Amino acid sequence: MNKTLRKAVIAGNWKMNNTRVETKALINDLIPLVKDADCEVVVCVPFTNLETAVNLTKGTNVKVGAQNVHFEKSGAFTGEISADMLTEMGVEYVVVGHSERRQYFGETNVTVNKRTKAAVAAGLKVLLCVGELLEEREQGITDELVALQTKIALQGIDKADLNKIIIAYEPVWAIGTGKTATADQANEVCAVIRATVAKIYDQAAADAMTIQYGGSMNAGNAAELLSKPDVDGGLIGGASLKAADFATIINAASK
Ligand code: PEP
C-alpha cells in the first residue's frame, strides 16, 4: 500500500448471507473493533439489509455498500434496483462486476461498464471487480485479460470521476476457494491494472487509484498481501462475516 498517494479501502462482501437480526449483531460487533481504523471500512450487504446497515453505522467510520446496481434510472426491470434508490437510502458504495455475477447472472464487460457509469453518475463509489479464471491464468493471458476488462469497464468515465472508482483485482480461482494468490501475484496484476489506467488517463490518475486484492484474503494472510506497494486494500468475502477476522484485516491495513 502506498498511503501517501492513495487511501486504503477494506470492503466486506457479505454475498447472500445474514438476516436482519444477524446483520445487526455483526455490525454492532464490528463498529467498536474498527473505530480507530486508518483506512476506509465498507460492508456490502444484501439489498434487504441496506437500510438496517445504514441506520446502524450512522456517525461511525463504517460505510455501507450494495452488491449490484441496475444501469437504468427506472422502468420495467423486475427485480432490479437503481443507483438513485441506493443513494436515497444513504448507501455510498456498490460492487460492480463481481465474478459471481459474471458467472451466474450473465454479467458482461459491457454491462459492467453500463452499471459503473450509472453508479458514478448517481454519486456512488464503485468497487469494480476484474479477474481471470484459472484456465486463463494457465494460458498465460491474465495480464491482457485483466487490462481488457479494465479498459471496457472504464469506457466513457471522465478522469474527474475516477476518485469514485476502486478496482478490485479478484482472480476467480481464489474466490471462496481458500486458494489465495501469492502476495507477488496479487501485486503484479494490481500493477498491470494501474499501468492500464495510466495508459487510458495518465500516471497521476493511476497513482491516485485505489486497487484492491480479493480472493480468500483472511486474518492470517492480509498483512503480507497489503504490504505490497500496488495492493491498496482488500475485497473480502468469507472473512468479512466474522467481526474479529474482518477487524484484524482492517487493522493490518491501518498500519
Ligand atoms: C469476494 O466475494 O469478493 C471474495 C473475495 O470472497 P472470498 O474472500 O470469500 O474469497
Side-chain angles (χ1 to χ4, degrees):
M1 269 181 307
N2 189 334
K3 284 199 188 168
T4 54
L5 290 172
R6 46 197 175 254
K7 197 171 173 85
V9 179
I10 299 291
N13 173 21
W14 287 12
K15 314 192 190 206
M16 195 174 71
N17 289 297
N18 289 332
T19 61
R20 189 180 312 179
V21 170
E22 290 161 344
T23 297
K24 283 184 187 163
L26 180 48
I27 291 181
N28 282 333
D29 284 349
L30 183 66
I31 288 170
L33 297 178
V34 302
K35 66 178 181 4
D36 299 321
D38 184 22
C39 65
E40 188 88 338
V41 179
V42 187
V43 287
C44 299
V45 307
F47 284 132
T48 50
N49 294 330
L50 286 169
E51 196 155 20
T52 302
V54 166
N55 288 335
L56 283 171
T57 54
K58 266 191 194 129
T60 78
N61 60 336
V62 178
K63 309 278 198 273
V64 175
Q67 298 173 14
N68 193 20
V69 63
H70 198 260
F71 36 82
E72 296 294 344
K73 278 189 101 52
S74 62
F77 302 101
T78 303
E80 294 297 320
I81 305 283
S82 76
D84 289 343
M85 292 171 187
L86 295 176
T87 55
E88 183 193 42
M89 206 185 268
V91 172
E92 292 182 57
Y93 283 82
V94 65
V95 178
V96 170
H98 191 278
S99 67
E100 287 152 18
R101 304 273 344 151
R102 294 179 191 253
Q103 190 177 352
Y104 305 127
F105 302 101
E107 189 80 79
T108 66
N109 288 332
V110 172
T111 53
V112 167
N113 173 245
K114 285 172 144 190
R115 288 184 213 282
T116 301
K117 284 193 284 195
V120 163
L124 287 164
K125 289 192 183 151
V126 176
L127 299 159
L128 173 58
C129 303
V130 297
E132 81 288 3
L133 302 170
L134 184 58
E135 305 89 275
E136 293 162 341
R137 175 161 282 269
E138 286 169 351
Q139 287 161 3
I141 58 170
T142 299
D143 293 1
E144 291 91 330
L145 188 108
V146 168
L148 186 69
Q149 289 175 331
T150 304
K151 269 187 202 160
I152 297 175
L154 294 177
Q155 252 166 37
I157 301 284
D158 290 341
K159 191 164 120 179
D161 284 326
L162 283 184
N163 60 358
K164 297 194 199 118
I165 296 186
I166 289 149
I167 298 183
Y169 166 54
E170 297 212 305
V172 180
W173 48 271
I175 297 177
T177 58
K179 283 185 204 154
T180 317
T182 65
D184 285 336
Q185 284 172 327
N187 193 60
E188 201 179 295
V189 184
C190 288
V192 167
I193 295 169
R194 200 175 306 287
T196 305
V197 174
K199 261 191 216 150
I200 306 170
Y201 299 93
D202 56 36
Q203 193 58 48
D207 286 342
M209 174 157 278
T210 295
I211 302 178
Q212 302 170 311
Y213 167 77
S216 299
M217 190 188 273
N218 59 41
N221 61 25
E224 195 191 349
L225 287 159
L226 294 168
S227 72
K228 294 290 168 182
D230 280 300
V231 179
D232 307 318
L235 182 56
I236 293 111
S240 71
L241 297 173
K242 290 193 184 127
D245 287 359
F246 193 46
T248 300
I249 299 171
I250 289 160
N251 291 331
S254 300
K255 289 207 176 104

